[in-house]
Structures are given as structure tokens and as C-alpha cells.
Amino acid sequence: MTAYTATVTVRLKHGVLDPEADQTRKALERLGFDLDGLRSADRFDIDLDADDARSARERADEMAERLLANPTIHDYDVDVVEAE
Amino acid sequence: MAAVTVSIVRFGGSNCDRDAALALGSLDIDAEIVWHEDGLPEATDGIVIPGGFSYGDYLRAGAMAARSPIMDEVRALAEDGVPVLGVCNGAQIGSESGLTPGAFTTNRSARFQCEHVHLRVENADTPFTSAFTEGEVISLPIAHGEGRFEIEPRKLDAIRSDDRVLFRYCEADGTVTDVANPNGSTDNVAGVLGERETVAVLMPHPERATLDDIGASNGAGTDGAGVLRAFE
């Protein structure tokens, strides 16, 4: 078994309104920043032991499917690295 | 007392459970509050998932409660035809658990909104709307920060053609407009049915517009009683 860190990033699907990101962008603009857009995402760093990177990814995928993302509004991606 | 016993599922953070019990009691509907870890009593003939902030809305509103063991029991009884109503956080739990289609997420305004809304009854052929007629306009209060109904266009077409939209936000005269849409819900949808017409979720609060004295004093009216009569 090898120690991995699976990073799951959950984003709103393209076209789904993101009022929190809109408010954050406005707040940054009030602070004087000039920006063309802002998108927010949730990131989960999951430490787990697995036989190989592929099985670590499969487990992280299942976590995203079953809890971390809501398929109606979210896309997600998974990155797996060996833990340091 | 009616024979039906409604179980009102209380999670940590539920806060409309007692309101629901009071409102159902005022209609002579036997109801009891059930702590989610205790499971559903055998005599459960109806289920209310009340509003509140279960699990502090962590991750997403309703996400944690939807995956708690009692929801397996709720799903099983729902499949047997036991009426299930999710209100507000209960609606978020219902959609997160797959009982009903779509998702409820952050209001278009990015604010918590507490106000009275008008709703057009889209399908009066359900236990939750049989007190009304199709096209009738009723008034209920909302109180939510994450009530914007989202659904994929293909699935919206499907629930519309299957008559699974229960209520839509509208003007006082029943016109469905963007201005009358308090939270930016897709197609102004305020409530939807599950796979059976005995399973429904809605963001507005029928239990807050059921009691005569409260309804009269705060202008909420008593239209909510018509929804809760599903459990008679």
C-alpha cells in the first residue's frame, strides 16, 4: 500500500449561476482591483492508502460522486499524487 | 385523532420541527418528532422533513442529512407510497437524497430571504394540493438562503411533461414572472414531486401559514393547511 493524496476540485457546471462568486468579485472591485471574472470552487485534499494511483483515484471519484459533488450543478476533477 | 401518525424527522440543526408538529396538531393530524438516530417508528404513515440548518449546512444545504441512515428508511417508505413532504431544508435534503429531481442552491441575490410569496398550483392532483385547484394562487412564507431550484434542461422538460412541478412562484394574479421569482429558480419552480405524487418537496413553509391566530396576525394566511392536509 502507498500513501496518496487525492485532490478533488468541485466546480459549478458552466452556465450555472454563482451568486457567491459574483459577490466576491464585486467586493474585490470595491477594493480597487480590476478583474474580468471570478469563479469559485471547493477543494478537498484526501489522504488515503491504496495499492496504486489508479485505485486511489477510483476511490476519490466515488467520494465525489456520492457526496462531495452534486451532479445536478457540479463538475469535478481528481488529481492524485503520492503523499510526501 | 386521525389514524395517521406523521413522523417529523429531527436532525441536529432542524428548527421547524416543532412548528410542523403544532401545525399538524391544529389539523387534528397525529404527529410526533423523531430524532434521526432513533429511526422511524413502525407506525409511521407519513413523513415530514422539516426546515432548519441540518449539520450547519456544511458542504451543501441538506447534503449531510441526506446521507444519514434514516433517509434509507424514508426512501423505502416513500417507495411504498407513504406520503413524504420536505420543507425548506427538508426540500434540500429531499433533493440531495434523490427523493426528488433537481437541486436547491444559493439564491440569485446571494442573500437569505424571508418574505411572503405567491405560488401557482401547477398540479392539483396530488395529496399536497388536492385542497386547491390547478392554477389557483396561494400565499406562503419563504425563509431561505439556498432555494434556487436548478435542474438540467432535459430533466426540466421531463418533469414538466410528467406534471411533477407542484408550485411555481408567481404574481398575485397568477402570472409567472421573473420579478415574482424570489430566488432565481429555474422556471420559477418552488416545489416538485418525486417519482410518486405522494412525495413532494417545496421551499415555502406551509407549517408557518396554517394556524388561524398566527396566520391572521402576521399576514401569512392559512393556505399551508391545504398542503398539510395531505396527511389526513
Side-chain angles (χ1 to χ4, degrees):
Chain A
M1 298 285 264
T2 310
Y4 293 96
T5 297
T7 298
V8 179
T9 305
V10 178
R11 295 184 181 80
L12 286 172
K13 282 181 180 169
H14 185 70
V16 175
L17 193 67
D18 188 349
E20 289 182 19
D22 290 344
Q23 294 299 319
T24 307
R25 177 179 54 79
K26 283 178 192 162
L28 285 170
E29 287 169 348
R30 276 197 298 274
L31 291 171
F33 291 102
D34 186 20
L35 62 162
D36 294 330
L38 182 151
R39 288 164 297 284
S40 63
D42 289 324
R43 184 180 120 168
F44 305 88
D45 294 328
I46 302 161
D47 300 326
L48 70 173
D49 291 326
D51 288 336
D52 52 36
R54 184 178 160 179
S55 77
R57 174 180 297 276
E58 281 172 2
R59 277 164 58 199
D61 267 331
E62 193 183 349
M63 293 179 203
E65 294 282 340
R66 292 186 57 189
L67 176 65
L68 301 177
N70 180 327
T72 300
I73 53 175
H74 291 138
D75 286 326
Y76 69 90
D77 53 54
V78 177
D79 282 314
V80 173
V81 294
E82 275 192 42
E84 291 175 4
Chain B
M1 235 9 135
V4 172
T5 297
V6 178
S7 291
I8 301 166
V9 181
R10 172 188 278 167
F11 295 98
S14 297
N15 66 10
C16 300
D17 43 346
R18 287 178 296 173
D19 294 7
L22 200 64
L24 288 163
S26 78
L27 301 173
D28 283 333
I29 297 167
D30 188 30
E32 65 175 296
I33 295 169
V34 175
W35 176 240
H36 72 101
E37 288 181 342
D38 294 339
L40 291 172
E42 243 173 64
T44 297
D45 289 321
I47 298 166
V48 171
I49 311 173
F53 299 87
S54 59
Y55 296 87
D57 281 350
Y58 292 154
L59 191 63
R60 296 179 300 277
M64 303 292 180
R67 288 152 180 90
S68 60
I70 198 169
M71 290 306 295
D72 292 333
E73 297 180 54
V74 172
R75 263 189 297 271
L77 287 185
E79 281 167 21
D80 287 345
V82 168
V84 179
L85 174 66
V87 172
C88 197
N89 188 225
Q92 296 158 339
I93 295 167
S95 64
E96 278 280 345
S97 71
L99 274 174
T100 55
F104 295 98
T105 187
T106 312
N107 292 350
R108 176 169 55 184
S109 65
R111 295 193 174 97
F112 190 92
Q113 287 174 248
C114 193
E115 58 200 67
H116 295 292
V117 296
H118 292 106
L119 301 168
R120 194 170 83 177
V121 178
E122 297 293 324
N123 176 357
D125 194 19
T126 82
F128 308 98
T129 48
S130 61
F132 313 117
T133 53
E134 191 177 319
E136 186 175 342
V137 177
I138 68 170
S139 176
L140 291 178
I142 58 165
H144 60 245
E146 287 154 307
R148 174 168 56 99
F149 182 72
E150 282 284 344
I151 191 167
E152 297 95 325
R154 180 177 50 81
K155 289 185 180 169
L156 177 65
D157 291 343
I159 64 169
R160 286 175 65 174
S161 63
D162 292 345
D163 226 2
R164 288 168 67 183
V165 176
L166 200 55
F167 297 112
R168 293 169 79 202
Y169 299 107
C170 67
E171 308 283 351
D173 67 358
T175 318
V176 174
T177 64
D178 191 50
V179 174
N181 188 346
N183 51 28
S185 286
T186 303
D187 210 33
N188 286 48
V189 170
V192 288
L193 294 171
E195 284 178 13
R196 311 177 67 124
E197 78 280 1
T198 47
V199 177
V201 300
L202 62 155
M203 289 310 299
H205 287 271
E207 80 284 3
R208 296 189 188 179
T210 292
L211 299 168
D212 275 331
D213 48 356
I214 293 175
S217 65
N218 73 1
T222 56
D223 286 339
V227 177
L228 298 181
R229 287 193 190 284
F231 296 105
E232 277 186 330

